[in-house]
Amino acid sequence: IHIAKQSASESCGIDNSCYSPFAVQIDPRDTVTWRNLDRFSHSITSGTPENGPDGTFDSGLVVGEQYFSYKFHDEGVFDYYCTIHPWMKGIIIVGEFGES
């Protein structure tokens, strides 16, 4: 997942383009890696801006051109955001949901 250039600007929150792609579906035990393409530091923090961090994962500050990876073990839907720029939001879906 890429942290888009200029995502420190609120405009990327309008169309959910701050993290690209905005939503990703993976299998349990898969690892997701984020790369910061922006010149500003950002975080990848599980939870929502409205409720705050939920403690599942937190990258701390990721400076430009740096990476953060996290291995997901449990199935579920994991919201995440940037604690510095709360309009930056993304979703990781682990496992299959909505399939019958």
Side-chain angles (χ1 to χ4, degrees):
I1 298 173
H2 290 126
I3 298 173
K5 292 180 180 181
Q6 301 181 10
S7 51
S9 168
E10 291 185 46
S11 61
C12 70
I14 296 168
D15 62 0
N16 292 321
S17 64
C18 304
Y19 295 103
S20 182
F22 166 73
V24 174
Q25 184 169 5
I26 62 170
D27 292 324
R29 294 173 299 287
D30 281 354
T31 298
V32 174
T33 299
W34 290 261
R35 180 179 178 196
N36 185 359
L37 300 179
D38 200 8
R39 63 185 179 103
F40 294 99
S41 295
H42 297 286
S43 78
I44 300 104
T45 306
S46 61
T48 63
E50 298 78 19
N51 296 321
D54 67 16
T56 303
F57 58 89
D58 188 356
S59 65
L61 291 181
V62 178
V63 300
E65 295 303 321
Q66 295 296 308
Y67 297 84
F68 170 72
S69 295
Y70 183 79
K71 185 173 186 174
F72 290 83
H73 296 279
D74 299 323
E75 290 191 358
V77 177
F78 298 87
D79 293 307
Y80 67 92
Y81 70 107
C82 176
T83 57
I84 304 164
H85 309 102
W87 53 86
M88 297 177 60
K89 300 176 187 179
I91 300 172
I92 304 294
I93 302 164
V94 183
E96 295 188 27
F97 288 85
E99 309 239 347
S100 44

